[in-house]
Amino acid sequence: MQYGHFDDDAREYVITRPDTPYPWINYLGCNDFYGLFSNTSGGYCFYRDARMLRLTRYRYNNVPTDVGGRYFYLRDSKDGDVWTPSWMPMKSKLDRYECRHGMGYSRIASARNGLAFSQTSFVPLDDKCEVHKVTLTNESNAEKNIDMFSFIEFCLWNANDDMTNFQRNFSIGEVEVHGSNIYHKTEYRERRNHYAVWAVNEPVAGFDTDRQAFLGLYNGFDSPQAVFDGKSKNSIASGWAPIGSHHINAKLKAGESKAYVFVLGFCENPEDQKWEKPAVLGSAGVINKKPANELLEKYSTAEAADKALAALNEYWKNLLSKFTVDAEDKKMARMAGIWNQYQCMVTFNMSRSASYFESGIGRGMGFRDSNQDLLGFVHLIPERARERILDIAATQFPDGSAYHQYQPLTKRGNNDIGSGFNDDPLWLIFGVASYIKETGDYGILDEKVPFDNNEAIADTLFAHLKKSFYYPVLNAGPHGLPLIGRADWNDCLNLNCFSKTPGESFQTTANYESGIAESILIAAIHAFVGPDFVEICKRTDRNEEVSAAEKAIAKMIDAVNKHGWDGDWFLRAYDAHGKKIGSKECEDGKIYIESNSFSVMAGIGLEDGRAEKALDSVKEHLDSPYGIVLLQPAYKDYHIELGEVSSYPPGYKENAGIFCHNNPWVTIAETKLGRGTRAFETYTKICPAYREDDSDLRRMEPYVYAQMVAGKDAVNHGEAKNSWLTGTAAWTFVSISQYILGVRPVFDGLLIDPCIPSSMKGYAVTRHFRGADYHITVDNSAGAEKGVKSVMLDGDPLKAGESGWVLPVFGDGKAHQVVVVMG
Ligand code: GLC
Ligand code: GLC
């Protein structure tokens, strides 16, 4: 069944009942302050780094689920009726409920006994805060006297310490309260120059900052004593658990409405201006509130909050105008035109750090992940993609290998995870090539970028690409295929790990430096991105590089042809003993998705039918109603020589789960063969909008992709997990926009190359590209799957060039009309 519906005009998903099968969340924030926000107002917020600078506390893996948020409690003083209008944490019975998740904002609206409540939550474009505009409306015929209590729980900044180091934490919490402003200043007296403020633009009847005083002994968030009493305790937290709660008394005449603006902000002072009044023995220091006052001043009225929200709406309207789709298939149109791009922005911002499945503590920005995330984002804000590329490249080592992750605050490589994922370097070429194709900015290649974050050994970005290109060539194994190292794209295929120790990291342990285990996937990635490296050399007068690079690619393809083909599909790898993985000879794991899709994407086997055979084998052995599983048969037992992939129960994650990230690789590969119907089928199977009716099984949000859907061997086949932060977002956007709808940036312009189901009669796309707008309509009354018969550009026929139908770069700020006829 469905738990809501899409509202395409508003670009919102409307959740119509609060008890969704899992919290369905949204992200607030676009730049450096972010909030995770569930359909019942759960979640938390942070400034820049979800681990180090977390403002509010959230309890992962808690029962009941989704505890911690920005809560409002209402109490009708007439009968003492108490409820939470966002449903949680009291699971209150509501006469009406709706949550609208939009682009960077969410709105919860509900009603009980004639009192309507609405909460609009967002992070303004240019400020480090969450704004929650709350409106109470008396829909009854009599006056109402309502007590409203706000509630947030402060995190003591470092989210990891916050949930582990209680011997310290219970002694360090400090706050200040001034009027309606609650300041959280734990650790401000020592090495932090920042504090949080939680404020409302109305006088309060009382406040609380001590959790126990507010809740009462042994009470949960669902039964706060202060609320039942109708009276705050005016508590000042000293150690233990600091919270922020305002008590507002609202007298509402029949029909009357009142709006309140709550702000939760991050404030920072220069080291020498931290204090308004320094501490003296016997009294604590008073923090300098200048930044807080400035912030609160900006949002002191409901109109100011509305204006900031309007600016945010305008920002998103403009971003999403860069690529729009109009088609009969509304599910595809809304995903490609709205939600997929929105998710791409979120994955670009978050990498794999903070979601309802990623705790915000463990992982930094991934080298390979961030390079891929760029793909779905570069057309939205190319300048930020540029900056990201330079940050990533600075964590590369002088030999071309790379830190697998870097930390967002320091931008330095993460020593705990280290290096040795031998696919990493190639993704940099991929990211840079995508950026140049989008922007035409070859200047980025001349930027001086450090190696290993060391300015003393900086070189041009081009030098980085060259190191990337040759890394797998210089680190090849016995069959001339790239050595896999700790793992390739598949983090869980750990061929040099041989772990027997529980809890040991599969990815960072190498107990057996074989120098033998090889990856066919890395070879295929090389063959896919290599030609872009060559093109870049040609186009920037680096002709001396060309022939050596071409030879290296040819040699790589040759190695795949000689040692990477298994008869009906491509092999996946050779293990540390030189044994085949992903072969008919194997008992389990006979066929894998990655090497097959990527080899075809790279064009390997196109000339002799092997490409077609490989994709047919993928369909035959790996396909399911919910997408294509990663491998078959699933590993039944733990294989010490394969690592984590065999540690998962059959059907989950990398062990034969539907790992959505690489399904679009099959889609793209199918378009290489011109099989539009099959390409579209693989697209729709993992596309959440097509599974909206199936929400009880799928459980995750119907508006965003999930990393994994349980595979056919799993107990809950079809159930999704790990929504939001996944490479699936960028890759599906590439597959639908560039390869199915076929509007693809190339070095010389915008290539038109659709590959669609024969039943799709046409569609329209607008694409902003290098300073001009292209209004493209595609006519497929011929019922073709691939192939363009004619293109009219601004009324004149266009000629197809060597590389197909390429729309030229205009850069004139104008709109250009393009009519494409397939057939
Ligand atoms: C996760 C990782 C990604 C990896 C994938 C497959 O999504 O973030 O880097 O490629 O899993 O293991
Ligand atoms: C785990 C996950 C895998 C992920 C990896 C990243 O192994 O199963 O999907 O890519 O962690 O560290």
Side-chain angles (χ1 to χ4, degrees):
M1 70 174 244
Q2 289 190 197
Y3 288 79
H5 55 86
F6 288 91
D7 179 343
D8 293 336
D9 292 336
R11 301 195 181 93
E12 292 172 339
Y13 190 83
V14 189
I15 300 166
T16 49
R17 46 186 291 174
D19 54 343
T20 47
Y22 203 72
W24 285 1
I25 73 165
N26 193 11
Y27 282 82
L28 317 178
C30 316
N31 293 313
D32 47 21
F33 190 98
Y34 299 105
L36 283 70
F37 190 93
S38 77
N39 58 313
T40 59
S41 203
Y44 62 97
C45 62
F46 60 92
Y47 174 59
R48 290 183 62 194
D49 184 315
R51 170 169 175 166
M52 304 306 288
L53 296 173
R54 194 179 295 198
L55 275 79
T56 51
R57 186 172 286 159
Y58 184 77
R59 290 174 171 73
Y60 277 92
N61 201 8
N62 196 64
V63 277
T65 195
D66 199 21
V67 166
R70 320 80 181 145
Y71 295 135
F72 297 95
Y73 297 86
L74 299 177
R75 178 179 183 276
D76 193 328
S77 61
K78 193 165 141 223
D79 53 6
D81 182 31
V82 169
W83 73 101
T84 38
S86 59
W87 193 61
M88 284 291 275
M90 292 180 74
K91 291 173 90 176
S92 303
K93 198 182 152 303
L94 300 169
D95 301 333
R96 240 181 20 236
Y97 161 90
E98 174 181 280
C99 169
R100 290 179 170 259
H101 286 319
M103 306 285 108
Y105 66 89
S106 291
R107 179 174 292 133
I108 294 175
S110 69
R112 168 147 149 165
N113 292 339
L115 187 84
F117 165 92
S118 124
Q119 168 190 354
T120 304
S121 300
F122 64 100
V123 171
L125 282 174
D126 302 317
D127 283 308
K128 303 167 191 160
C129 66
E130 283 186 355
V131 172
H132 306 275
K133 183 186 157 197
V134 170
T135 309
L136 302 179
T137 306
N138 182 355
E139 293 180 340
S140 77
N141 299 324
E143 182 173 286
K144 277 189 184 283
N145 192 352
I146 301 291
D147 294 302
M148 172 161 69
F149 296 81
S150 74
F151 176 83
I152 57 157
E153 188 181 19
F154 292 109
C155 176
L156 308 189
W157 300 114
N158 179 331
N160 193 48
D161 276 11
D162 185 69
M163 62 169 137
T164 48
N165 196 3
F166 303 106
Q167 61 79 24
R168 172 177 162 86
N169 294 346
F170 287 165
S171 293
I172 63 174
E174 288 189 293
V175 297
E176 275 180 38
V177 180
H178 291 270
S180 303
N181 304 348
I182 295 168
Y183 300 89
H184 174 228
K185 59 172 187 178
T186 299
E187 290 191 343
Y188 189 77
R189 65 167 67 239
E190 38 129 329
R191 290 158 297 174
R192 293 186 186 274
N193 298 346
H194 53 84
Y195 56 84
V197 61
W198 173 230
V200 59
N201 66 340
E202 279 281 321
V204 294
F207 63 86
D208 272 299
T209 64
D210 180 79
R211 188 176 70 195
Q212 188 175 302
F214 177 75
L215 292 179
L217 207 49
Y218 295 101
N219 284 349
F221 293 152
D222 58 347
S223 51
Q225 195 56 52
V227 179
F228 285 107
D229 293 349
K231 206 169 163 0
S232 291
K233 310 288 182 240
N234 296 341
S235 58
I236 294 287
S238 174
W240 296 109
I243 60 148
S245 172
H246 306 98
H247 173 195
I248 284 178
N249 182 252
K251 280 202 176 40
L252 298 163
K253 291 195 206 72
E256 191 184 352
S257 238
K258 267 194 188 155
Y260 305 87
V261 182
F262 290 86
V263 174
L264 174 58
F266 177 90
C267 303
E268 210 164 4
N269 275 319
E271 173 84 37
D272 59 352
Q273 294 167 33
K274 279 175 75 166
W275 301 101
E276 202 170 290
K277 232 195 277 154
V280 288
L281 205 55
S283 68
V286 177
I287 58 178
N288 175 0
K289 311 207 172 50
K290 197 165 156 256
N293 291 339
E294 281 168 10
L295 177 72
L296 299 177
E297 180 58 35
K298 279 179 84 169
Y299 301 100
S300 57
T301 63
E303 293 69 35
D306 292 344
K307 225 174 114 200
L309 180 63
L312 179 68
N313 290 340
E314 199 48 37
Y315 173 81
W316 271 104
K317 196 174 140 209
N318 179 39
L319 281 183
L320 294 178
S321 72
K322 292 172 191 276
F323 180 85
T324 70
V325 187
D326 190 11
E328 225 167 81
D329 185 336
K330 293 290 167 241
K331 292 175 183 161
M332 183 268 283
R334 67 169 64 108
M335 285 308 298
I338 303 171
W339 292 95
N340 197 174
Q341 295 183 71
Y342 182 60
Q343 188 178 359
C344 285
M345 164 79 113
V346 173
T347 56
F348 178 87
N349 287 335
M350 298 287 130
S351 191
R352 306 296 171 265
S353 67
S355 74
Y356 268 28
F357 295 86
E358 300 279 8
S359 65
I361 289 174
R363 298 168 72 183
M365 312 294 287
F367 193 97
R368 81 157 83 88
D369 290 337
S370 292
N371 272 305
Q372 292 170 80
D373 291 343
L374 283 175
L375 287 179
F377 176 81
V378 62
H379 70 293
L380 295 175
I381 315 180
E383 306 73 38
R384 284 187 63 200
R386 188 182 209 272
E387 192 186 317
R388 177 66 53 81
I389 287 172
L390 300 177
D391 288 346
I392 300 172
T395 65
Q396 187 173 31
F397 288 103
D399 71 349
S401 63
Y403 275 109
H404 193 51
Q405 288 173 16
Y406 72 95
Q407 297 312 117
L409 271 187
T410 61
K411 298 189 173 177
R412 300 191 81 82
N414 180 344
N415 275 315
D416 296 344
I417 310 291
S419 171
F421 297 78
N422 286 352
D423 63 318
D424 274 337
L426 292 175
W427 297 110
L428 182 65
I429 302 179
F430 188 51
V432 172
S434 308
Y435 169 78
I436 295 177
K437 288 176 190 174
E438 180 67 38
T439 60
D441 170 20
Y442 290 92
I444 193 174
L445 297 166
D446 302 321
E447 292 281 352
K448 281 269 189 311
V449 186
F451 282 101
D452 194 6
N453 301 110
N454 181 353
E455 291 287 350
I457 47 172
D459 204 340
T460 60
L461 181 63
F462 178 80
H464 283 257
L465 295 194
K466 188 172 168 187
K467 301 263 185 181
S468 289
F469 179 87
Y470 285 105
Y471 190 80
V473 175
L474 296 174
N475 292 276
H479 300 93
L481 294 159
L483 291 170
I484 195 166
R486 295 192 192 281
D488 59 21
W489 171 88
N490 187 333
D491 268 330
C492 300
L493 197 58
N494 315 119
L495 304 183
N496 297 306
C497 177
F498 290 80
S499 177
K500 279 192 190 154
T501 310
E504 195 167 62
S505 160
F506 285 100
Q507 278 99 36
T508 59
T509 308
N511 290 322
Y512 193 90
E513 296 287 359
S514 69
I516 287 182
E518 298 169 296
S519 162
I520 283 130
L521 175 63
I522 300 180
I525 300 174
H526 191 268
F528 182 76
V529 304
D532 280 346
F533 175 72
V534 171
E535 271 305 306
I536 286 173
C537 294
K538 285 186 186 160
R539 285 158 188 272
T540 54
D541 292 326
R542 292 177 168 103
N543 290 312
E544 70 284 1
E545 304 285 351
V546 170
S547 86
E550 282 176 342
K551 275 193 200 121
I553 299 168
K555 208 168 146 209
M556 196 64 87
I557 295 175
D558 194 47
V560 176
N561 286 334
K562 283 209 181 94
H563 305 291
W565 182 249
D566 195 54
D568 286 313
W569 56 77
F570 291 96
L571 288 175
R572 179 62 177 83
Y574 287 94
D575 73 13
H577 307 296
K579 268 182 63 190
K580 292 174 185 169
I581 297 174
S583 159
K584 285 186 187 125
E585 293 167 19
C586 306
E587 191 191 322
D588 291 323
K590 289 175 194 287
I591 171 170
Y592 277 67
I593 191 173
E594 308 102 298
S595 47
N596 285 293
S597 49
F598 235 99
S599 295
V600 179
M601 281 166 68
I604 304 176
L606 281 179
E607 67 293 348
D608 58 8
R610 279 177 304 146
E612 203 167 338
K613 209 171 210 180
L615 294 188
D616 288 345
S617 299
V618 164
K619 182 163 165 50
E620 183 184 340
H621 299 287
L622 302 181
D623 206 8
S624 87
Y626 305 115
I628 304 164
V629 303
L630 194 142
L631 60 85
Q632 277 293 286
Y635 294 106
K636 298 185 285 291
D637 310 305
Y638 176 55
H639 291 254
I640 191 165
E641 76 286 7
L642 301 180
E644 188 167 2
V645 67
S646 61
S647 75
Y648 285 113
Y652 291 103
K653 298 281 284 184
E654 281 87 339
N655 188 13
I658 297 156
F659 213 91
C660 299
H661 187 150
N662 50 33
N663 274 237
W665 298 351
V666 176
T667 306
I668 296 170
E670 290 288 357
T671 67
K672 281 258 169 194
L673 299 182
R675 305 201 290 200
T677 303
R678 172 67 182 153
F680 197 70
E681 184 195 3
T682 59
Y683 168 77
T684 55
K685 277 186 178 176
I686 62 157
C687 185
Y690 292 85
R691 293 206 44 211
E692 200 183 1
D693 294 344
D694 210 10
S695 289
D696 286 316
L697 172 61
R698 184 180 159 87
R699 299 189 68 193
M700 296 298 115
E701 299 91 335
Y703 42 91
V704 286
Y705 287 91
Q707 181 207 54
M708 197 239 359
V709 174
K712 39 191 175 181
D713 308 283
V715 179
N716 300 315
H717 182 31
E719 179 185 62
K721 283 189 191 131
N722 304 5
S723 56
W724 284 97
L725 303 185
T726 160
T728 317
W731 275 106
T732 47
F733 184 66
V734 169
S735 73
I736 186 70
S737 64
Q738 299 190 16
Y739 289 89
I740 293 179
L741 302 176
V743 179
R744 180 151 82 243
V746 291
F747 289 108
D748 289 325
L750 208 48
L751 175 72
I752 302 295
D753 183 23
C755 184
I756 58 176
S758 45
S759 58
M760 196 187 279
K761 291 299 166 227
Y763 56 90
V765 164
T766 61
R767 179 66 156 86
H768 181 82
F769 179 70
R770 299 196 210 171
D773 290 307
Y774 298 74
H775 294 247
I776 304 161
T777 56
V778 176
D779 170 355
N780 188 33
S781 34
E785 287 195 76
K786 187 157 173 142
V788 168
K789 206 161 67 186
S790 69
V791 175
M792 297 290 284
L793 172 60
D794 290 327
D796 297 320
L798 184 80
K799 271 211 195 91
E802 230 171 83
S803 39
W805 302 87
V806 180
L807 305 174
V809 176
F810 289 110
D812 56 4
K814 293 193 182 136
H816 298 274
Q817 307 301 324
V818 184
V819 179
V820 180
V821 179
M822 291 180 70

